[in-house]
Amino acid sequence: MQLLALGLFAFGMDSLAFSQIERSASWRHGKQERFGARPANQYLGPGEDTITITGTLVPEIAGSRSALPTLHDMADTGDAHALILGTGELIGNFTINSVAESQSNFLDNGVPRKNDFTITLGRVDG
């Protein structure tokens, strides 16, 4: 079962499960100072729309070691990808702006058993 899809990458228990999604959206307003009155205000349109996905990858329990490198490869292209909720709702087209990782609980060969991650997406469509 997929929790979320970014382009052809499906977030889920077999690939990369997340624990939290945060969304921050803004709208732009232009202001013009006026003498003896409040500034004139004009709506200019949508501003930044950012989604932050956080979670922990523990391949021995759930997820795949290849998931984060796959997201790095997707980010390297600079392409926008459709972001679709598990319910089928299209959120919009997003680029991968950053992927941060923290590794811990290493095996004797240096392979991490636990990878905390944060992925930041930025909306690029209207």
Side-chain angles (χ1 to χ4, degrees):
M1 176 150 218
Q2 109 182 2
L3 303 170
L4 181 75
L6 180 64
L8 297 177
F9 184 86
F11 288 84
M13 295 305 290
D14 60 339
S15 60
L16 189 64
F18 53 85
S19 58
Q20 183 173 337
I21 295 180
E22 292 180 31
R23 185 174 186 181
S24 174
S26 64
W27 293 264
R28 298 175 300 129
H29 294 267
K31 296 186 181 190
Q32 178 64 43
E33 294 295 325
R34 298 186 297 180
F35 182 76
R38 289 190 175 98
N41 189 9
Q42 181 178 5
Y43 175 66
L44 299 175
E48 296 288 325
D49 191 354
T50 304
I51 292 181
T52 303
I53 301 169
T54 57
T56 301
L57 171 65
V58 183
E60 295 168 342
I61 298 171
S64 169
R65 291 192 196 285
S66 65
L68 289 169
T70 298
L71 287 170
H72 280 267
D73 291 343
M74 289 173 64
D76 284 343
T77 68
D79 294 338
H81 305 279
L83 184 65
I84 304 170
L85 296 177
T87 60
E89 179 185 353
L90 174 65
I91 302 299
N93 291 317
F94 288 79
T95 58
I96 300 172
N97 293 345
S98 68
V99 177
E101 300 174 53
S102 174
Q103 301 176 342
S104 61
N105 299 336
F106 296 93
L107 297 172
D108 60 359
N109 62 356
V111 175
R113 296 175 71 191
K114 179 181 172 190
N115 292 283
D116 294 312
F117 63 88
T118 301
I119 302 162
T120 304
L121 308 174
R123 189 167 181 173
V124 295
D125 60 353

PDB file of all heavy atoms in Angstrom, residues 84-108:
ATOM      1  N   ILE A  84       1.159  12.949  -5.182  1.00  0.00           N
ATOM      2  CA  ILE A  84      -0.183  12.385  -5.076  1.00  0.00           C
ATOM      3  C   ILE A  84      -0.315  11.662  -3.738  1.00  0.00           C
ATOM      4  O   ILE A  84       0.516  10.814  -3.394  1.00  0.00           O
ATOM      5  CB  ILE A  84      -0.453  11.393  -6.238  1.00  0.00           C
ATOM      6  CG1 ILE A  84      -0.243  12.103  -7.572  1.00  0.00           C
ATOM      7  CG2 ILE A  84      -1.849  10.797  -6.125  1.00  0.00           C
ATOM      8  CD1 ILE A  84      -0.235  11.181  -8.765  1.00  0.00           C
ATOM      9  N   LEU A  85      -1.358  12.008  -2.985  1.00  0.00           N
ATOM     10  CA  LEU A  85      -1.623  11.337  -1.712  1.00  0.00           C
ATOM     11  C   LEU A  85      -2.063   9.901  -1.953  1.00  0.00           C
ATOM     12  O   LEU A  85      -2.517   9.554  -3.047  1.00  0.00           O
ATOM     13  CB  LEU A  85      -2.714  12.085  -0.944  1.00  0.00           C
ATOM     14  CG  LEU A  85      -2.401  13.508  -0.507  1.00  0.00           C
ATOM     15  CD1 LEU A  85      -3.614  14.132   0.177  1.00  0.00           C
ATOM     16  CD2 LEU A  85      -1.201  13.551   0.405  1.00  0.00           C
ATOM     17  N   GLY A  86      -1.977   9.066  -0.935  1.00  0.00           N
ATOM     18  CA  GLY A  86      -2.414   7.689  -1.028  1.00  0.00           C
ATOM     19  C   GLY A  86      -3.892   7.566  -1.366  1.00  0.00           C
ATOM     20  O   GLY A  86      -4.346   6.551  -1.879  1.00  0.00           O
ATOM     21  N   THR A  87      -4.661   8.624  -1.110  1.00  0.00           N
ATOM     22  CA  THR A  87      -6.099   8.640  -1.431  1.00  0.00           C
ATOM     23  C   THR A  87      -6.352   8.940  -2.906  1.00  0.00           C
ATOM     24  O   THR A  87      -7.475   8.889  -3.363  1.00  0.00           O
ATOM     25  CB  THR A  87      -6.821   9.708  -0.600  1.00  0.00           C
ATOM     26  OG1 THR A  87      -6.248  10.994  -0.897  1.00  0.00           O
ATOM     27  CG2 THR A  87      -6.708   9.419   0.881  1.00  0.00           C
ATOM     28  N   GLY A  88      -5.289   9.301  -3.636  1.00  0.00           N
ATOM     29  CA  GLY A  88      -5.431   9.632  -5.053  1.00  0.00           C
ATOM     30  C   GLY A  88      -5.513  11.117  -5.337  1.00  0.00           C
ATOM     31  O   GLY A  88      -5.570  11.531  -6.493  1.00  0.00           O
ATOM     32  N   GLU A  89      -5.505  11.941  -4.298  1.00  0.00           N
ATOM     33  CA  GLU A  89      -5.606  13.397  -4.480  1.00  0.00           C
ATOM     34  C   GLU A  89      -4.274  13.966  -4.980  1.00  0.00           C
ATOM     35  O   GLU A  89      -3.230  13.753  -4.372  1.00  0.00           O
ATOM     36  CB  GLU A  89      -5.978  14.067  -3.161  1.00  0.00           C
ATOM     37  CG  GLU A  89      -6.081  15.574  -3.255  1.00  0.00           C
ATOM     38  CD  GLU A  89      -6.326  16.234  -1.918  1.00  0.00           C
ATOM     39  OE1 GLU A  89      -6.543  15.521  -0.910  1.00  0.00           O
ATOM     40  OE2 GLU A  89      -6.295  17.476  -1.868  1.00  0.00           O
ATOM     41  N   LEU A  90      -4.337  14.699  -6.097  1.00  0.00           N
ATOM     42  CA  LEU A  90      -3.160  15.372  -6.644  1.00  0.00           C
ATOM     43  C   LEU A  90      -2.941  16.673  -5.890  1.00  0.00           C
ATOM     44  O   LEU A  90      -3.833  17.523  -5.846  1.00  0.00           O
ATOM     45  CB  LEU A  90      -3.348  15.646  -8.134  1.00  0.00           C
ATOM     46  CG  LEU A  90      -2.258  16.472  -8.808  1.00  0.00           C
ATOM     47  CD1 LEU A  90      -0.931  15.731  -8.810  1.00  0.00           C
ATOM     48  CD2 LEU A  90      -2.672  16.845 -10.222  1.00  0.00           C
ATOM     49  N   ILE A  91      -1.755  16.849  -5.312  1.00  0.00           N
ATOM     50  CA  ILE A  91      -1.424  18.067  -4.576  1.00  0.00           C
ATOM     51  C   ILE A  91      -0.838  19.113  -5.515  1.00  0.00           C
ATOM     52  O   ILE A  91      -1.111  20.290  -5.406  1.00  0.00           O
ATOM     53  CB  ILE A  91      -0.434  17.774  -3.426  1.00  0.00           C
ATOM     54  CG1 ILE A  91      -1.018  16.737  -2.470  1.00  0.00           C
ATOM     55  CG2 ILE A  91      -0.057  19.037  -2.678  1.00  0.00           C
ATOM     56  CD1 ILE A  91      -2.306  17.167  -1.805  1.00  0.00           C
ATOM     57  N   GLY A  92      -0.002  18.693  -6.458  1.00  0.00           N
ATOM     58  CA  GLY A  92       0.636  19.604  -7.406  1.00  0.00           C
ATOM     59  C   GLY A  92       1.955  19.024  -7.878  1.00  0.00           C
ATOM     60  O   GLY A  92       2.291  17.875  -7.586  1.00  0.00           O
ATOM     61  N   ASN A  93       2.712  19.830  -8.615  1.00  0.00           N
ATOM     62  CA  ASN A  93       4.024  19.413  -9.104  1.00  0.00           C
ATOM     63  C   ASN A  93       5.108  20.013  -8.218  1.00  0.00           C
ATOM     64  O   ASN A  93       5.120  21.231  -7.988  1.00  0.00           O
ATOM     65  CB  ASN A  93       4.220  19.855 -10.554  1.00  0.00           C
ATOM     66  CG  ASN A  93       3.312  19.100 -11.492  1.00  0.00           C
ATOM     67  OD1 ASN A  93       3.158  17.895 -11.367  1.00  0.00           O
ATOM     68  ND2 ASN A  93       2.684  19.796 -12.424  1.00  0.00           N
ATOM     69  N   PHE A  94       6.005  19.152  -7.755  1.00  0.00           N
ATOM     70  CA  PHE A  94       7.021  19.558  -6.792  1.00  0.00           C
ATOM     71  C   PHE A  94       8.407  19.108  -7.243  1.00  0.00           C
ATOM     72  O   PHE A  94       8.555  18.056  -7.858  1.00  0.00           O
ATOM     73  CB  PHE A  94       6.728  18.953  -5.411  1.00  0.00           C
ATOM     74  CG  PHE A  94       5.564  19.571  -4.705  1.00  0.00           C
ATOM     75  CD1 PHE A  94       4.268  19.237  -5.040  1.00  0.00           C
ATOM     76  CD2 PHE A  94       5.771  20.506  -3.706  1.00  0.00           C
ATOM     77  CE1 PHE A  94       3.197  19.807  -4.384  1.00  0.00           C
ATOM     78  CE2 PHE A  94       4.705  21.089  -3.041  1.00  0.00           C
ATOM     79  CZ  PHE A  94       3.413  20.737  -3.387  1.00  0.00           C
ATOM     80  N   THR A  95       9.404  19.908  -6.898  1.00  0.00           N
ATOM     81  CA  THR A  95      10.801  19.509  -7.055  1.00  0.00           C
ATOM     82  C   THR A  95      11.337  19.105  -5.686  1.00  0.00           C
ATOM     83  O   THR A  95      10.820  19.533  -4.658  1.00  0.00           O
ATOM     84  CB  THR A  95      11.676  20.652  -7.609  1.00  0.00           C
ATOM     85  OG1 THR A  95      11.570  21.780  -6.724  1.00  0.00           O
ATOM     86  CG2 THR A  95      11.261  21.047  -9.007  1.00  0.00           C
ATOM     87  N   ILE A  96      12.367  18.286  -5.691  1.00  0.00           N
ATOM     88  CA  ILE A  96      13.040  17.922  -4.444  1.00  0.00           C
ATOM     89  C   ILE A  96      14.094  18.992  -4.191  1.00  0.00           C
ATOM     90  O   ILE A  96      15.047  19.125  -4.953  1.00  0.00           O
ATOM     91  CB  ILE A  96      13.687  16.532  -4.538  1.00  0.00           C
ATOM     92  CG1 ILE A  96      12.630  15.472  -4.833  1.00  0.00           C
ATOM     93  CG2 ILE A  96      14.438  16.201  -3.246  1.00  0.00           C
ATOM     94  CD1 ILE A  96      13.195  14.096  -5.133  1.00  0.00           C
ATOM     95  N   ASN A  97      13.892  19.785  -3.139  1.00  0.00           N
ATOM     96  CA  ASN A  97      14.824  20.874  -2.826  1.00  0.00           C
ATOM     97  C   ASN A  97      15.967  20.422  -1.928  1.00  0.00           C
ATOM     98  O   ASN A  97      17.073  20.937  -2.030  1.00  0.00           O
ATOM     99  CB  ASN A  97      14.085  22.038  -2.174  1.00  0.00           C
ATOM    100  CG  ASN A  97      13.120  22.708  -3.139  1.00  0.00           C
ATOM    101  OD1 ASN A  97      13.184  22.516  -4.341  1.00  0.00           O
ATOM    102  ND2 ASN A  97      12.215  23.495  -2.603  1.00  0.00           N
ATOM    103  N   SER A  98      15.699  19.461  -1.037  1.00  0.00           N
ATOM    104  CA  SER A  98      16.775  18.965  -0.177  1.00  0.00           C
ATOM    105  C   SER A  98      16.411  17.609   0.407  1.00  0.00           C
ATOM    106  O   SER A  98      15.238  17.278   0.561  1.00  0.00           O
ATOM    107  CB  SER A  98      17.087  19.950   0.957  1.00  0.00           C
ATOM    108  OG  SER A  98      16.008  20.029   1.868  1.00  0.00           O
ATOM    109  N   VAL A  99      17.454  16.833   0.703  1.00  0.00           N
ATOM    110  CA  VAL A  99      17.326  15.554   1.400  1.00  0.00           C
ATOM    111  C   VAL A  99      18.407  15.555   2.477  1.00  0.00           C
ATOM    112  O   VAL A  99      19.590  15.627   2.169  1.00  0.00           O
ATOM    113  CB  VAL A  99      17.520  14.344   0.463  1.00  0.00           C
ATOM    114  CG1 VAL A  99      17.448  13.039   1.254  1.00  0.00           C
ATOM    115  CG2 VAL A  99      16.502  14.344  -0.665  1.00  0.00           C
ATOM    116  N   ALA A 100      17.988  15.497   3.732  1.00  0.00           N
ATOM    117  CA  ALA A 100      18.936  15.447   4.852  1.00  0.00           C
ATOM    118  C   ALA A 100      18.811  14.080   5.512  1.00  0.00           C
ATOM    119  O   ALA A 100      17.706  13.564   5.679  1.00  0.00           O
ATOM    120  CB  ALA A 100      18.637  16.549   5.856  1.00  0.00           C
ATOM    121  N   GLU A 101      19.959  13.505   5.883  1.00  0.00           N
ATOM    122  CA  GLU A 101      19.976  12.179   6.483  1.00  0.00           C
ATOM    123  C   GLU A 101      20.847  12.177   7.739  1.00  0.00           C
ATOM    124  O   GLU A 101      21.832  12.882   7.811  1.00  0.00           O
ATOM    125  CB  GLU A 101      20.566  11.151   5.517  1.00  0.00           C
ATOM    126  CG  GLU A 101      19.834  11.002   4.216  1.00  0.00           C
ATOM    127  CD  GLU A 101      20.567  10.076   3.277  1.00  0.00           C
ATOM    128  OE1 GLU A 101      20.881   8.938   3.680  1.00  0.00           O
ATOM    129  OE2 GLU A 101      20.837  10.504   2.151  1.00  0.00           O
ATOM    130  N   SER A 102      20.459  11.354   8.684  1.00  0.00           N
ATOM    131  CA  SER A 102      21.248  11.114   9.882  1.00  0.00           C
ATOM    132  C   SER A 102      21.287   9.606  10.086  1.00  0.00           C
ATOM    133  O   SER A 102      20.244   8.972  10.215  1.00  0.00           O
ATOM    134  CB  SER A 102      20.618  11.815  11.083  1.00  0.00           C
ATOM    135  OG  SER A 102      21.301  11.478  12.263  1.00  0.00           O
ATOM    136  N   GLN A 103      22.481   9.034  10.109  1.00  0.00           N
ATOM    137  CA  GLN A 103      22.633   7.585  10.221  1.00  0.00           C
ATOM    138  C   GLN A 103      23.147   7.213  11.608  1.00  0.00           C
ATOM    139  O   GLN A 103      23.979   7.911  12.181  1.00  0.00           O
ATOM    140  CB  GLN A 103      23.599   7.075   9.148  1.00  0.00           C
ATOM    141  CG  GLN A 103      23.143   7.400   7.744  1.00  0.00           C
ATOM    142  CD  GLN A 103      24.159   6.985   6.690  1.00  0.00           C
ATOM    143  OE1 GLN A 103      25.329   6.766   6.993  1.00  0.00           O
ATOM    144  NE2 GLN A 103      23.709   6.883   5.461  1.00  0.00           N
ATOM    145  N   SER A 104      22.656   6.061  12.119  1.00  0.00           N
ATOM    146  CA  SER A 104      23.102   5.595  13.437  1.00  0.00           C
ATOM    147  C   SER A 104      22.907   4.084  13.542  1.00  0.00           C
ATOM    148  O   SER A 104      22.387   3.453  12.631  1.00  0.00           O
ATOM    149  CB  SER A 104      22.332   6.313  14.551  1.00  0.00           C
ATOM    150  OG  SER A 104      20.950   6.043  14.439  1.00  0.00           O
ATOM    151  N   ASN A 105      23.322   3.533  14.683  1.00  0.00           N
ATOM    152  CA  ASN A 105      23.202   2.101  14.976  1.00  0.00           C
ATOM    153  C   ASN A 105      23.854   1.254  13.881  1.00  0.00           C
ATOM    154  O   ASN A 105      23.199   0.475  13.193  1.00  0.00           O
ATOM    155  CB  ASN A 105      21.737   1.692  15.161  1.00  0.00           C
ATOM    156  CG  ASN A 105      21.071   2.410  16.302  1.00  0.00           C
ATOM    157  OD1 ASN A 105      21.723   2.872  17.226  1.00  0.00           O
ATOM    158  ND2 ASN A 105      19.768   2.527  16.247  1.00  0.00           N
ATOM    159  N   PHE A 106      25.157   1.407  13.744  1.00  0.00           N
ATOM    160  CA  PHE A 106      25.903   0.774  12.655  1.00  0.00           C
ATOM    161  C   PHE A 106      26.195  -0.697  12.918  1.00  0.00           C
ATOM    162  O   PHE A 106      26.458  -1.107  14.053  1.00  0.00           O
ATOM    163  CB  PHE A 106      27.223   1.524  12.426  1.00  0.00           C
ATOM    164  CG  PHE A 106      27.014   2.930  11.959  1.00  0.00           C
ATOM    165  CD1 PHE A 106      26.951   3.980  12.867  1.00  0.00           C
ATOM    166  CD2 PHE A 106      26.865   3.216  10.605  1.00  0.00           C
ATOM    167  CE1 PHE A 106      26.745   5.280  12.444  1.00  0.00           C
ATOM    168  CE2 PHE A 106      26.665   4.510  10.172  1.00  0.00           C
ATOM    169  CZ  PHE A 106      26.608   5.547  11.084  1.00  0.00           C
ATOM    170  N   LEU A 107      26.164  -1.483  11.852  1.00  0.00           N
ATOM    171  CA  LEU A 107      26.606  -2.865  11.907  1.00  0.00           C
ATOM    172  C   LEU A 107      28.136  -2.886  11.893  1.00  0.00           C
ATOM    173  O   LEU A 107      28.775  -1.861  11.629  1.00  0.00           O
ATOM    174  CB  LEU A 107      26.061  -3.641  10.705  1.00  0.00           C
ATOM    175  CG  LEU A 107      24.534  -3.749  10.616  1.00  0.00           C
ATOM    176  CD1 LEU A 107      24.125  -4.355   9.282  1.00  0.00           C
ATOM    177  CD2 LEU A 107      24.000  -4.582  11.772  1.00  0.00           C
ATOM    178  N   ASP A 108      28.738  -4.035  12.125  1.00  0.00           N
ATOM    179  CA  ASP A 108      30.199  -4.117  12.178  1.00  0.00           C
ATOM    180  C   ASP A 108      30.870  -3.804  10.835  1.00  0.00           C
ATOM    181  O   ASP A 108      32.055  -3.516  10.785  1.00  0.00           O
ATOM    182  CB  ASP A 108      30.661  -5.479  12.707  1.00  0.00           C
ATOM    183  CG  ASP A 108      30.182  -6.638  11.855  1.00  0.00           C
ATOM    184  OD1 ASP A 108      29.469  -6.413  10.863  1.00  0.00           O
ATOM    185  OD2 ASP A 108      30.523  -7.779  12.205  1.00  0.00           O
TER     186      ASP A 108
END
